[in-house]
Amino acid sequence: MKNTKTDFIPIDYDYFDCNGRNYAKIIGRSSKGERICIVDECDVFLWAILRDNVSDKKIKKLIKKISEIQLDTKGRQTKVEKVELKEKNFLGKKVKALKIYATNYKDLHDVADELGMKEIKKRRGYDLGYVSHYIIEKDLTPLKWHEISGKSLDNSKELGGIGMSLDVDKCIKADSIKPVKSKKKTKAQKDFTPKVLAYDIESDELEIGDGEIIMVSLVDNNGFQKVITYKKDNEKISKLPYVEYVEDEAALLEKFVEYVREISPDFLTGYFSDGFDLPYLRARAEKFNVDLALGLDESRPRFSRGRNMSGKIKGIVHLDLIKFIKTAYAQYMKSETLSLDDVAKEFLGEEKNPFEHQHSSKLDYEGWQKYYEYNLQDSKLVIQLFNKFWPDLLEFSKTIQEPVFDVSRAGLSKYVENYILHNLKKFNEIPEKRPTYNDIRERRSSGGVTGAFVYEPTPGLYENLAMFDFTSMHTSIIITHNLSKGTLLKNKKQEKNPIESPELTLKGKKQKFYFSKKQGFFPELMREIFNKRKKFKAQYKKDPNVITRARSNAFKVLSASVHGYVGFFGARYYSLEASASILAFVRKYNKDTIKKIEEKDHKIIYGDTDSISFLIKEKNKKQIKKLLSDLNSELPGIMELELEKIYKRGLWVTTRAGKIGAKKKYALIDKEGKLKIRGFETVRRDWCQLSRNVQDKVLRLVLKDGDEKRALEYVKKIVEKIKNREISIKDLIIKTQLKKSIKDYKSLPPHVVAAKKMKEQEIPVTQGNLVEYYISEPPKGKKARLVREKVKLPGEKGKYNIEYYLKRQILPAVENIFQVFDIKIKEIMKDGKQKTLGDF
DNA sequence: GAAGTGGATATACC
DNA sequence: ACTGGTATATCCACTTC
């Protein structure tokens, strides 16, 4: 066999068994653009952590006994091949542990079950999954350039003939893998961009496989654009250059496979394609007996079971963008839904073709042209979104050292956890195990911990305010005070001068927790995440664009998830005590800082968790910065307070019921006239557009010019319009998400009634949809006490309910704002009510 | 059947 | 179940008079 060498960027990871052993199979590219498959092996082992004070003699005996373990499970013969005694760390403590090598990773769990000996305290490291284990062992980090040398497997029958069965340019059994230093990267390596193909299907039926696939579009980054279809208006052939007709649906599926194989992308990407496009293609392929051989080994897509389906294609990364966007960006997005339409609008500034979905049987020639165009447009949007998010996927994948396939489907806890697992080596740490079902149940029932502190504001309009906030507060606290599961001490006396948490209440008991002064691996790792967050934030400030903003937000999310991870019941490094302590510190720092600012004669207006707003009085920005640096000089470790912004005016209102100030609800305006609105109905999607617009306008008038009189005039005008039925139904639509399936609701709120109506009218609606409805006048002669009795769908004819929109939508949206100026808006509405009553 | 209250539900903030 | 806790607000479900 020939020795060969190449550079290599790993993209897709998989493994296979040959003669009972595991082999990693990694697909990627060389800088020449060749498709390359690397086959490699690594040691397979687990850890048995020994109890303290087990004698050397006993250890020897134990090693002998374990060495003899042989298993015959699932038709595989696995045995313990070697046992070594090692000095390791577990949760930061020195331990003696046996490194137990076995034949097949999948059998490690069964090997662990054989290790019930009393000298063994814990068994660890058998539940990472082979791919993660391999990446950790061999440092073949995804999407980083490597130099590979080894034997060519092309045309070889070795290892099950893998070199012949894969559609790649080269297949190499690796002897040596070396990372390319970033300074030594060639231009071709630096310029690497993956081959991407976006796809989208159209069907009349939304239920998987129920209807025909009418067309499928494909778009790549090199000008390839196709709509494959067999449908047209009679015999009139489209003039659109990208439309390609085939005989029937089966031929469409075959053509689709043909193009994917021809282009052979690194990424096949779609939008909601895990849940719709790919399973649909599979269902139809099964029906017509078409071999959906998309994999590089001509295998069909494989679907994971479970609630969240995901489709895997061998050698090609099937990437459903919606999942990644949901995890990494959803909480920072303005879009009301995660539909392709909304997301494209937000990130690409591009709207989808306005297209009314019609049943395909009703389309004429023009209708079909529009439909083809629309189908292509979706794939175009998908590939543009991929291009936008590629830098982020790349960064995440390199950071947490997991393949893009997994990164794009994982939740935030997995991000944090993988970062830890892939970085334990430098601490000589044995990985903690995943919690068992019982662990999880216990953790969930243990009750929560007390959270952050929110300052109760005094309602009013204020001038000249500053807002300070702590940089990545929870993460800074973990790092500064060395808080984690591993550094938690059993009691105060375990260590001299331990770190002491503020007093807190946990499980109804007032107590404190103590943590080691010795730097723990967990806080140390969090420092790395924290630094990345800082770096990307600075980058965004220097060069603000969509990508730098997205990346900054992405790492903000990751950094902000660290604390959530510690308190997450599914986490390997879960710690209720650490979580409670982190939050106790959060409260303490916020309250202490409030006190210090008050001592400098500033009136505090508001504060939530890590922020504080106060009146700057006659001080200028420089003086405020001085105050800030004074406060910072007193903060320990990496704790840092920063000036978020100075605002010209700010408004806080009462709660709906009482006279106290409402928390999490305020509006600010800076000197450039830019508004920052939080919590108000304006930013809530479950209020009708009219209420949101009216409130937004009122807030603007009040904040910009301090002109509540004009705001009042404006509201009066709107009230008149409502009374005169001059408002379009479209502005009165209320949108509420159906969070559960209809039958699971214990009560029957309006949006569930709307969803039921949709079902009756055969409008597709499922859990997770945003349900739209408006409130109409009650049917004649019928008393409708409940709101739900007046629910109508947007398509249903009817008159909007004047009283409802005045009293339940407009009034609540503006009443509290005017109350700040002692204007009783209710009086104005009352007139309206009498008038409406008079109308009938 | 009006009034009051707690629960269910959705959404936002950090 | 798939990061956490804090908070507001609506409408329903139920009790009471």
Side-chain angles (χ1 to χ4, degrees):
Chain A
M1 246 179 318
K2 216 169 67 183
N3 274 314
T4 182
K5 256 174 120 171
T6 182
D7 65 349
F8 178 69
I9 186 165
I11 299 171
D12 191 46
Y13 290 69
D14 196 7
Y15 72 100
F16 64 97
D17 284 7
C18 189
N19 298 326
R21 309 193 80 84
N22 309 117
Y23 293 88
K25 177 175 75 177
I26 306 118
I27 308 284
R29 297 258 176 204
S30 71
S31 56
K32 287 182 222 151
E34 302 154 302
R35 196 47 147 322
I36 295 187
C37 172
I38 301 294
V39 177
D40 193 17
E41 299 173 77
C42 71
D43 288 334
V44 166
F45 57 84
L46 80 162
W47 293 100
I49 300 169
L50 302 179
R51 290 189 192 282
D52 301 338
N53 308 321
V54 181
S55 70
D56 290 354
K57 205 177 138 196
K58 275 199 172 159
I59 293 176
K60 256 192 183 160
K61 261 174 100 180
L62 189 64
I63 290 177
K64 189 163 182 292
K65 199 171 164 194
I66 293 172
S67 299
E68 286 162 4
I69 294 175
Q70 292 202 11
L71 295 171
D72 192 344
T73 49
K74 300 154 204 138
R76 256 197 316 267
Q77 305 233 318
T78 270
K79 61 173 189 184
V80 170
E81 304 193 327
K82 192 166 60 171
V83 181
E84 292 170 350
L85 178 64
K86 299 269 181 183
E87 299 278 341
K88 295 289 288 182
N89 292 321
F90 182 64
L91 294 172
K93 283 160 206 76
K94 278 191 176 167
V95 292
K96 279 184 179 166
L98 299 179
K99 190 174 185 181
I100 302 165
Y101 297 78
T103 317
N104 193 301
Y105 196 92
K106 289 195 285 278
D107 298 324
L108 288 183
H109 214 292
D110 293 323
V111 175
D113 286 343
E114 301 289 315
L115 302 174
M117 302 85 169
K118 64 178 187 302
E119 294 89 350
I120 295 173
K121 200 173 171 186
K122 280 169 175 155
R123 296 153 292 179
R124 293 293 184 270
Y126 51 83
D127 61 356
L128 304 172
Y130 181 77
V131 168
S132 296
H133 174 83
Y134 170 81
I135 294 174
I136 292 166
E137 279 306 293
K138 303 291 291 238
D139 281 326
L140 186 64
T141 307
L143 299 165
K144 282 193 178 172
W145 282 99
H146 293 79
E147 283 292 339
I148 311 282
S149 62
K151 293 190 198 94
S152 169
L153 290 175
D154 299 342
N155 309 311
S156 157
K157 281 184 184 158
E158 250 188 87
L159 296 168
I162 181 162
M164 295 194 292
S165 67
L166 280 181
D167 182 18
V168 293
D169 299 310
K170 279 181 184 167
C171 186
I172 301 168
K173 170 81 172 61
D175 289 330
S176 126
I177 296 175
K178 287 198 187 103
V180 176
K181 290 212 176 82
S182 61
K183 277 183 193 159
K184 290 204 167 172
K185 269 200 280 185
T186 63
K187 188 169 183 304
Q189 289 172 345
K190 277 185 197 156
D191 289 349
F192 170 78
T193 47
K195 248 187 181 182
V196 192
L197 184 63
Y199 76 114
D200 180 63
I201 66 165
E202 301 298 335
S203 169
D204 283 330
E205 280 291 332
L206 297 179
E207 211 56 49
I208 303 293
D210 274 7
E212 312 169 290
I213 294 174
I214 293 166
M215 58 183 97
V216 53
S217 61
L218 290 165
V219 171
D220 80 357
N221 275 323
N222 305 312
F224 179 84
Q225 301 191 345
K226 274 284 174 233
V227 170
I228 309 164
T229 187
Y230 54 98
K231 295 257 186 183
K232 47 185 174 280
D233 177 46
N234 294 320
E235 288 309 306
K236 282 202 268 179
I237 301 240
S238 172
K239 291 189 186 75
L240 296 167
Y242 47 80
V243 175
E244 179 171 343
Y245 291 106
V246 291
E247 186 61 32
D248 52 20
E249 196 182 351
L252 176 148
L253 294 163
E254 276 161 7
K255 200 79 197 168
F256 172 75
V257 173
E258 192 185 315
Y259 276 127
V260 173
R261 297 198 66 84
E262 193 183 310
I263 292 167
S264 194
D266 300 307
F267 293 92
L268 180 66
T269 182
Y271 202 83
F272 194 47
S273 53
D274 267 346
F276 187 72
D277 302 65
L278 199 57
Y280 217 116
L281 283 163
R282 175 180 67 162
R284 300 305 284 179
E286 272 169 12
K287 183 180 164 76
F288 295 113
N289 234 336
V290 172
D291 188 15
L292 210 60
L294 296 169
L296 293 188
D297 58 354
E298 306 200 351
S299 63
R300 297 170 185 176
R302 296 272 290 271
F303 288 85
S304 71
R305 278 165 290 169
R307 235 167 14 98
N308 276 323
M309 256 206 299
S310 59
K312 205 167 195 163
I313 300 168
K314 293 225 175 214
I316 294 175
V317 182
H318 177 239
L319 185 64
D320 185 353
L321 279 173
I322 197 173
K323 289 193 178 161
F324 179 62
I325 291 170
K326 196 175 177 179
T327 310
Y329 305 101
Q331 51 183 137
Y332 292 95
M333 282 166 51
K334 287 177 235 138
S335 309
E336 278 178 14
T337 70
L338 281 175
S339 68
L340 182 55
D341 201 5
D342 278 359
V343 171
K345 216 185 288 173
E346 180 156 355
F347 286 98
L348 307 173
E350 201 168 321
E351 303 221 11
K352 268 171 68 161
N353 279 342
F355 183 78
E356 286 279 322
H357 261 288
Q358 268 184 351
H359 198 274
S360 61
S361 60
K362 290 177 189 155
L363 294 172
D364 58 8
Y365 181 79
E366 277 309 312
W368 276 106
Q369 307 315 299
K370 288 244 166 68
Y371 205 1
Y372 301 145
E373 238 174 88
Y374 168 85
N375 181 222
L376 187 76
Q377 176 70 7
D378 270 8
S379 283
K380 282 195 202 164
L381 291 179
V382 171
I383 202 153
Q384 286 178 61
L385 280 175
F386 177 95
N387 296 339
K388 279 266 171 209
F389 289 115
W390 171 244
D392 308 71
L393 278 162
L394 184 71
E395 208 59 51
F396 266 123
S397 184
K398 286 199 283 196
T399 303
I400 68 175
Q401 297 181 51
E402 285 282 315
V404 173
F405 182 90
D406 304 271
V407 168
S408 67
R409 288 167 177 83
L412 291 170
S413 69
K414 278 267 175 290
Y415 283 19
V416 178
E417 190 152 283
N418 279 313
Y419 187 86
I420 298 165
L421 293 175
H422 284 278
N423 283 286
L424 289 177
K425 239 194 222 171
K426 54 191 177 215
F427 300 96
N428 197 29
E429 266 279 327
I430 292 173
E432 178 56 297
K433 72 166 166 45
R434 265 204 304 256
T436 63
Y437 192 76
N438 279 338
D439 293 335
I440 289 177
R441 204 178 47 193
E442 204 172 298
R443 290 173 182 187
R444 294 186 74 192
S445 66
S446 72
V449 295
T450 315
F453 164 73
V454 187
Y455 188 96
E456 187 192 302
T458 309
L461 181 72
Y462 300 96
E463 306 247 329
N464 303 323
L465 311 101
M467 188 187 277
F468 285 171
D469 60 23
F470 283 92
T471 318
S472 300
M473 191 184 209
H474 300 74
T475 311
S476 308
I477 287 171
I478 292 172
I479 298 163
T480 299
H481 298 293
N482 204 28
L483 310 178
S484 68
K485 176 175 182 171
T487 48
L488 175 71
L489 301 176
K490 283 199 185 75
N491 55 57
K492 194 178 180 173
K493 288 171 199 142
Q494 202 182 327
E495 206 175 90
K496 230 183 1 184
N497 298 321
I499 288 161
E500 193 176 329
S501 80
E503 192 174 69
L504 57 93
T505 308
L506 189 63
K507 294 173 183 169
K509 203 173 126 192
K510 268 197 178 176
Q511 52 191 317
K512 282 185 178 185
F513 291 112
Y514 300 90
F515 296 86
S516 174
K517 269 246 157 72
K518 197 186 138 215
Q519 180 70 256
F521 71 93
F522 186 97
E524 192 54 38
L525 284 170
M526 296 311 114
R527 189 192 296 274
E528 292 179 18
I529 291 178
F530 175 84
N531 287 340
K532 272 220 152 98
R533 149 85 186 124
K534 234 177 160 174
K535 182 177 132 195
F536 288 126
K537 191 179 178 183
Q539 238 171 48
Y540 168 53
K541 277 202 169 159
K542 215 174 122 194
D543 175 24
N545 62 53
V546 191
I547 293 170
T548 52
R549 190 195 70 182
R551 193 174 305 159
S552 170
N553 280 342
F555 278 86
K556 185 176 174 174
V557 171
L558 184 59
S559 176
S561 312
V562 167
H563 163 249
Y565 173 81
V566 173
F568 170 49
F569 50 77
R572 289 174 194 253
Y573 294 97
Y574 167 88
S575 168
L576 190 66
E577 295 86 351
S579 178
S581 302
I582 293 162
L583 287 163
F585 273 115
V586 166
R587 294 189 293 272
K588 182 177 148 48
Y589 278 117
N590 194 278
K591 285 181 183 169
D592 285 358
T593 309
I594 284 176
K595 211 184 248 168
K596 282 179 187 170
I597 296 174
E598 275 175 338
E599 279 164 10
K600 300 274 176 184
D601 279 334
H602 288 286
K603 185 176 160 57
I604 304 293
I605 302 301
Y606 184 60
D608 185 348
T609 311
D610 60 353
S611 76
I612 299 163
S613 302
F614 58 94
L615 300 183
I616 65 172
K617 299 200 293 185
E618 59 290 327
K619 277 188 190 165
N620 60 28
K621 193 168 175 178
K622 207 175 152 195
Q623 290 165 303
I624 292 301
K625 286 239 172 179
K626 174 73 173 65
L627 169 65
L628 181 71
S629 68
D630 287 349
L631 290 168
N632 270 323
S633 66
E634 292 172 23
L635 289 171
I638 63 158
M639 297 298 301
E640 194 191 3
L641 201 60
E642 60 180 342
L643 174 63
E644 200 262 345
K645 208 182 245 184
I646 291 177
Y647 293 95
K648 217 175 118 217
R649 289 201 183 89
L651 180 82
W652 275 262
V653 298
T654 65
T655 61
R656 188 104 188 87
K659 284 159 188 59
I660 60 160
K663 296 170 178 180
K664 301 192 185 284
K665 208 171 181 184
Y666 59 89
L668 295 161
I669 191 166
D670 65 17
K671 65 177 194 299
E672 280 85 35
K674 210 176 148 229
L675 266 75
K676 175 173 178 162
I677 300 176
R678 293 290 119 101
F680 274 109
E681 284 74 5
T682 299
V683 299
R684 293 182 62 96
R685 69 171 180 193
D686 56 349
W687 283 72
C688 76
Q689 205 54 54
L690 181 75
S691 304
R692 297 174 66 180
N693 291 346
V694 169
Q695 188 186 56
D696 190 72
K697 181 106 187 227
V698 168
L699 285 172
R700 268 163 213 281
L701 284 169
V702 165
L703 287 170
K704 265 203 176 113
D705 326 303
D707 195 347
E708 76 275 6
K709 297 252 159 50
R710 252 180 73 200
L712 183 64
E713 288 312 307
Y714 170 71
V715 172
K716 279 183 183 166
K717 248 176 30 204
I718 296 292
V719 168
E720 277 312 304
K721 276 193 173 179
I722 294 174
K723 285 192 273 182
N724 295 332
R725 297 205 175 279
E726 286 169 36
I727 307 290
S728 155
I729 295 276
K730 148 177 143 293
D731 291 325
L732 302 176
I733 303 290
I734 297 161
K735 300 176 190 173
T736 314
Q737 194 186 15
L738 193 70
K739 291 247 196 202
K740 310 187 261 196
S741 77
I742 292 173
K743 62 180 187 322
D744 290 339
Y745 280 88
K746 284 174 191 156
S747 64
L748 203 56
H751 74 288
V752 178
V753 172
K756 280 187 167 177
K757 280 194 162 203
M758 287 169 80
K759 281 253 172 227
E760 277 166 29
Q761 297 180 26
E762 289 179 334
I763 303 168
V765 59
T766 49
Q767 186 180 340
N769 285 159
L770 211 52
V771 174
E772 303 189 359
Y773 60 93
Y774 71 97
I775 303 305
S776 66
E777 297 290 356
K780 265 190 188 135
K782 227 182 152 185
K783 267 186 202 159
R785 196 175 53 86
L786 297 172
V787 176
R788 66 159 171 245
E789 293 164 54
K790 290 166 276 193
V791 165
K792 277 201 168 151
L793 299 183
E796 285 183 293
K797 278 203 171 147
K799 285 182 170 174
Y800 64 78
N801 189 311
I802 294 174
E803 193 184 336
Y804 176 84
Y805 282 98
L806 286 177
K807 277 174 66 181
R808 303 270 174 206
Q809 287 282 327
I810 296 300
L811 178 71
V814 299
E815 186 178 27
N816 297 337
I817 300 171
F818 284 110
Q819 202 193 310
V820 168
F821 305 95
D822 265 328
I823 296 171
K824 305 254 184 307
I825 194 95
K826 217 169 192 165
E827 312 290 319
I828 300 161
M829 300 282 173
K830 257 188 194 152
D831 290 343
K833 194 181 164 189
Q834 278 161 13
K835 206 167 190 176
T836 46
L837 288 174
D839 280 351
F840 290 90

